[in-house]
Amino acid sequence: MIDLYEQAAIGEYERAAADIKKQKTPLAPLHKSYQRFDKIIAKSIDESPTKPACKAGCFYCCYYKVEVKAHEMLLIHEHMQKNIATDLREQILASAKANAELISTLTPKEHLSTNIKCPFLISNQCSVYEVRPFRCRSFHAVQVDACEASYANPSDFSIATELIEEVSQYSDALSQGFEAAVMDSGLDHRTYDLNTALLEVFADDAIEKRYKRGKKAFKVAIEVVDEVE
């Protein structure tokens, strides 16, 4: 018997695959997927006796290592071009450049254990909240104390952040359903470092063309191959 989470993953896969095939690009389908994701996660949280401690102005998770898919970065780029003023874009890109320079001096494990402020974090708020990646969209914590402790001691991997199991399973199911649709559409489903991908998407106008042809979209951005153990 298919459980609720597997059913959610299959449903998201089918919707996303149909949308991508129809529109020949995953950008609008990704935006629709985010909307479905938010609706289902909000319902799951509403039905759970345990509630997330996350709230506006809480920024601890915005210092974690963040990775994106090519389509996520392309949607962020589109959003920034349409909705973010030039001076703020320049501020965000300057932060990404500083982060990229720091990351270039770190090993993958050091990167994972170092607090690096997300370039989109402005005045403790996400400046691209509407189009934030699945990884950011999926994160929630039950107790803020663990987030504070992890922020204060980023190299201590023994600090566990308690999550709501049902919400986490829905998050994984929905995001994996969309990613499977992208992969089966023959599009780039690699994972990239957010900072270096952000810099490249503003520097190379050919990224979206390569992506739509099923090629590797980013040539310079750090590709994340394996998780650090």
Side-chain angles (χ1 to χ4, degrees):
M1 180 177 179
I2 298 177
D3 64 25
L4 290 174
Y5 310 114
E6 186 174 357
Q7 186 176 17
I10 293 172
E12 182 56 36
Y13 170 84
E14 292 175 343
R15 292 184 186 93
D19 285 345
I20 292 171
K21 183 177 180 180
K22 180 180 179 180
Q23 301 198 28
K24 309 299 182 183
T25 172
L27 299 192
L30 176 58
H31 202 281
K32 290 170 65 176
S33 181
Y34 283 160
Q35 292 174 334
R36 290 191 294 268
F37 181 99
D38 290 346
K39 184 176 180 180
I40 291 173
I41 295 305
K43 184 175 184 292
S44 179
I45 289 173
D46 186 58
E47 293 175 348
S48 173
T50 305
K51 306 300 180 185
C54 308
K55 60 182 180 180
C58 184
F59 59 83
Y60 300 112
C61 62
C62 299
Y63 283 77
Y64 293 162
K65 180 182 179 183
V66 181
E67 300 160 358
V68 294
K69 298 294 186 179
H71 44 271
E72 292 179 318
M73 183 51 67
L74 286 168
L75 185 60
I76 288 172
H77 176 254
E78 179 182 83
H79 176 83
M80 289 179 68
Q81 293 281 55
K82 292 180 179 179
N83 300 288
I84 294 184
T86 301
D87 57 344
L88 181 54
R89 282 206 308 268
E90 291 176 352
Q91 180 182 343
I92 291 169
L93 291 172
S95 294
K97 182 178 179 181
N99 288 349
E101 290 172 352
L102 173 59
I103 291 167
S104 69
T105 69
L106 303 175
T107 65
K109 185 173 183 179
E110 288 171 338
H111 183 184
L112 190 63
S113 61
T114 301
N115 284 337
I116 299 178
K117 190 182 86 163
C118 177
F120 298 124
L121 184 64
I122 306 293
S123 300
N124 291 343
Q125 299 281 348
C126 178
S127 58
V128 294
Y129 190 79
E130 181 183 346
V131 292
R132 67 199 187 281
F134 274 123
R135 287 217 172 189
C136 302
R137 207 170 286 265
S138 300
F139 189 83
H140 66 281
V142 174
Q143 297 290 338
V144 73
D145 291 352
C147 298
E148 292 177 349
S150 180
Y151 174 78
N153 303 280
S155 62
D156 186 352
F157 299 133
S158 69
I159 300 173
T161 302
E162 183 182 354
L163 307 175
I164 304 171
E165 183 178 357
E166 294 85 355
V167 176
S168 291
Q169 291 193 31
Y170 268 124
S171 295
D172 290 344
L174 295 166
S175 60
Q176 289 170 12
F178 187 87
E179 300 304 343
V182 170
M183 182 173 65
D184 286 354
S185 298
L187 298 168
D188 183 3
H189 59 278
R190 296 172 179 83
T191 303
Y192 299 95
D193 163 68
L194 181 146
N195 292 281
T196 52
L198 176 60
L199 293 173
E200 188 175 352
V201 80
F202 273 93
D204 185 352
D205 293 336
I207 288 177
E208 188 167 357
K209 293 179 182 178
R210 289 197 295 270
Y211 183 82
K212 288 180 178 179
R213 294 200 303 266
K215 305 296 184 180
K216 182 178 180 182
F218 292 86
K219 294 183 175 181
V220 178
I222 297 172
E223 181 182 346
V224 182
V225 179
D226 297 311
E227 294 293 334
V228 178
E229 296 183 356

